[in-house]
Amino acid sequence: MMTSGTTSFPERLTKIDALTRPDHSHLVDEDECFFLGEYTARKGFSHSATNNLIINFKKPMDRKGTPQWKYKRQKIQQASSALFKALRGSNLRNFTFVPVPPSKQRADPLYDDRMEQMLRGFAELVFAEERYYPDIRELVTQNTS
């Protein structure tokens, strides 16, 4: 049974603050970090909309070509849309978006460019509404898998 929490994904960013910063040991007081939705480990995809998105978004590349793959593609589009909705109305010309690389290097058959795909989808939504593309740069890469 799915609860109502599993059907809607947050549309606003949440800022990590003094109360939640201890949960993120690499952040210091000066860091400003925001997120959309909260993943709950070991609870499965039916636990929440965020869990559903993350589990399917991270579906491994060896599932490509299987019936499961459509869920990954859908969640990449949903993540693009969620980021767009959360940042709508912001002057995105002041930002650079950097996709976080996966654990595999680009030449690895299991390399997954889901973050790049998500940001490309986001950029298309920004362009459709604002008539410019946000700055997206691959500044971080994996040298080894």
Side-chain angles (χ1 to χ4, degrees):
M1 180 173 111
M2 294 179 72
T3 65
S4 62
T6 62
T7 59
S8 62
F9 191 76
E11 293 186 358
R12 292 187 305 154
L13 293 169
T14 301
K15 184 175 183 178
I16 294 177
D17 59 15
L19 292 175
T20 54
R21 191 170 292 109
D23 296 333
H24 308 279
S25 60
H26 297 302
L27 298 178
V28 296
D29 290 346
E30 295 77 28
D31 291 333
E32 284 192 63
C33 188
F34 299 83
F35 64 92
L36 274 174
E38 191 153 355
Y39 178 77
T40 305
R42 297 173 297 283
K43 292 292 184 177
F45 70 89
S46 64
H47 177 72
S48 68
T50 302
N51 274 31
N52 187 303
L53 186 141
I54 296 297
I55 288 168
N56 284 296
F57 186 81
K58 291 179 65 175
K59 198 166 287 293
M61 296 303 290
D62 62 2
R63 307 283 165 76
K64 193 171 186 173
T66 70
Q68 299 175 30
W69 197 250
K70 69 179 178 187
Y71 299 111
K72 180 179 184 88
R73 290 181 36 220
Q74 289 170 354
K75 295 308 176 183
I76 289 171
Q77 291 173 344
Q78 184 181 0
S80 297
S81 180
L83 183 61
F84 175 71
K85 288 177 184 175
L87 296 177
R88 180 181 253 154
S90 302
N91 184 359
L92 300 177
R93 288 181 174 96
N94 296 327
F95 298 92
T96 297
F97 294 86
V98 180
V100 176
S103 61
K104 307 292 184 209
Q105 65 180 338
R106 195 172 285 278
D108 192 302
L110 295 178
Y111 175 83
D112 186 351
D113 69 344
R114 64 183 175 256
M115 293 300 291
E116 293 171 51
Q117 290 181 53
M118 187 271 296
L119 285 175
R120 282 194 302 269
F122 165 73
E124 291 299 329
L125 293 168
V126 171
F127 183 79
E129 187 165 294
E130 302 291 335
R131 308 313 297 167
Y132 70 89
Y133 286 103
D135 183 22
I136 298 171
R137 299 181 195 207
E138 186 180 359
L139 299 176
V140 181
T141 60
Q142 273 301 7
N143 293 329
T144 59
S145 293

